[in-house]
């Protein structure tokens, strides 16, 4: 068989299995999660209230020195690990573990991420607020990593963390998991104060915007089912996420203590993706995708 014909046959096998997998796996998660919208709405409202309290009790810079000094009792490495959770590449890499088994969640993450990018990157140059290293003397703050100077509002890392963990909180089926996801996103946001590059108001505005983007992203994903069932669209975003994982292997985002963790995460995600999308569908004698192995219509070749 000619190489071109062989490649076409391989892609046909992978595509057919993927269509079946997406149709089956999409049923794992409800289109509307009971209580999910209330959780995200309440979280966003609390973040807005916290931002307003800090701002009106003093000014835009209120609370930074107190929190930055308080957080200094914990190791710098811990704050680096937490702050990389707000890296867009990390969120995309983590999404790879969900993509084939939970395509509804994966698509909601993509929709929410696009909204979050518009929110954060639209406001940053428009407001163009100075960051703590550009306002405070170096001896007054604890700085971990690079000393960014501009585009402080809102915190992009906080937006990203709130989007990723907010979507997970929406689809979570237990109180414990919802609370854990929201606390983890909040910790990732507050790490931006701990590393000295954002004001508390930036963080709260980022978390609130990310929570709203997560809620709207879920709504959009529910109304654009082609992003769940069309294997071409699905694979496009899987490949994009895989490129983000590759980038983590070479760039720690300015936080060297997190580099080993990022490298391990990227390697695991890429290996998992190759297994789910390439190796398992092409196993000899297999005529169905990884998710169909227990179904009645999954058959083995003679």
């Amino acid at each position: 068989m000619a190489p071109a014909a062989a490649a076409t046959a391989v892609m046909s096998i992978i595509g057919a299995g993927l269509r079946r997998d997406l149709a089956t796996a999409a049923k794992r998660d409800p289109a509307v999660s009971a209580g999910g919208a209330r959780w995200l709405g309440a979280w966003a409202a609390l973040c807005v209230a916290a931002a307003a309290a800090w701002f009106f009790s003093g000014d835009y810079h209120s609370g930074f020195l107190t929190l930055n000094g308080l957080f200094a009792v914990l190791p710098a490495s811990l704050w680096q690990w937490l702050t990389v959770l707000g890296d867009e590449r990390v969120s995309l890499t983590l999404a790879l573990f969900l993509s084939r088994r939970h395509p509804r969640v994966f698509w909601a993450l993509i929709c929410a991420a696009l909204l979050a990018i518009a929110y954060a990157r639209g406001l940053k140059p428009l407001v163009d607020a100075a960051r703590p290293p550009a306002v405070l003397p170096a001896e007054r703050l604890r700085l971990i990593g690079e000393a960014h100077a501009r585009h402080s509002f809102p915190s992009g890392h906080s937006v990203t963390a709130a989007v990723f963990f907010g979507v997970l909180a929406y689809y979570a089926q237990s109180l414990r998991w919802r609370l854990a996801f929201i606390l983890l996103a909040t910790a990732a946001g507050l790490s931006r104060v701990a590393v000295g590059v954002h004001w508390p108001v930036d963080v709260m505005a980022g978390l609130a915007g990310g929570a709203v983007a997560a809620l709207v992203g879920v709504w959009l994903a529910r109304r654009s089912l082609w992003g769940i069932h069309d294997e071409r669209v699905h694979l496009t975003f899987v490949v994009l996420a895989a490129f983000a994982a590759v980038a983590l292997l070479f760039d720690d985002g300015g936080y060297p203590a997190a580099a080993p963790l990022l490298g391990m995460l990227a390697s695991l995600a890429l290996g998992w993706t190759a297994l789910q999308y390439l190796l398992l569908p092409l196993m000899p004698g297999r005529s169905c995708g990884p998710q169909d192995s227990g179904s009645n219509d999954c058959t083995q070749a003679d």
Side-chain angles (χ1 to χ4, degrees):
M1 181 181 295
T8 300
V10 167
M11 293 307 298
S12 177
I13 294 171
I14 293 175
L18 181 57
R19 282 192 295 274
R20 287 192 298 267
D21 287 354
L22 294 178
T24 301
K27 300 174 184 177
R28 277 198 176 90
D29 303 293
V32 178
S33 180
R38 290 196 299 273
W39 271 81
L40 293 184
W43 182 30
L46 285 173
C47 291
V48 170
W54 262 312
F55 184 83
F56 290 111
S57 66
D59 58 20
Y60 175 51
H61 303 151
S62 293
F64 174 82
L65 289 175
T66 300
L67 290 178
N68 184 256
L70 180 64
F71 293 153
V73 302
L74 296 175
S77 58
L78 173 63
W79 293 117
Q80 293 188 56
W81 297 335
L82 284 172
T83 210
V84 296
L85 291 177
D87 190 314
E88 293 171 353
R89 299 169 303 165
V90 171
S91 291
L92 286 170
T93 300
L94 288 171
L96 287 172
F97 292 106
L98 301 168
S99 60
R100 188 149 186 158
R101 292 184 59 82
H102 298 276
R104 187 181 300 279
V105 179
F106 180 72
W107 179 234
L109 284 169
I110 296 299
C111 292
L114 295 175
L115 294 170
I117 290 171
Y119 168 68
R121 301 205 175 168
L123 281 181
K124 278 181 177 291
L126 182 64
V127 178
D128 196 19
R131 298 190 188 223
V135 175
L136 300 172
E139 63 273 12
R140 294 198 65 193
L141 77 157
R142 184 199 197 192
L143 180 65
I144 303 171
E146 299 177 6
H148 300 286
R150 299 179 57 190
H151 297 166
S152 190
F153 183 90
S155 164
H157 278 65
S158 300
V159 174
T160 300
V163 163
F164 182 78
F165 292 108
V167 170
L168 295 188
Y170 178 88
Y171 285 106
Q173 297 301 302
S174 72
L175 171 66
R176 177 178 59 186
W177 279 109
R178 279 179 171 160
L179 186 59
F181 288 139
I182 288 176
L183 288 176
L184 192 55
T186 302
L190 290 174
S191 73
R192 303 307 285 165
V193 178
V195 301
V197 294
H198 276 292
W199 311 103
V201 171
D202 300 334
V203 170
M204 291 299 115
L207 291 174
V212 172
L215 186 55
V216 178
V218 167
W219 180 83
L220 288 175
R222 191 162 63 242
R223 284 158 175 76
S224 53
L225 297 180
W226 52 271
I228 298 173
H229 298 292
D230 189 324
E231 72 276 10
R232 294 165 300 179
V233 175
H234 179 84
L235 280 177
T236 296
F237 287 105
V238 167
V239 171
L240 176 64
F243 275 116
V246 171
L248 290 180
L249 295 173
F250 304 99
D251 181 11
D252 58 22
Y255 298 101
L261 180 64
L262 295 177
M264 181 176 65
L265 172 64
S267 299
L268 288 173
L270 290 170
W272 175 258
T273 303
L275 178 67
Q276 292 290 302
Y277 288 90
L278 296 176
L279 300 181
L280 287 179
L282 295 177
M283 285 178 59
R286 191 181 183 93
S287 61
C288 57
Q291 310 310 320
D292 294 325
S293 55
S295 63
N296 294 330
D297 58 349
C298 178
T299 59
Q300 300 292 331
D302 294 333

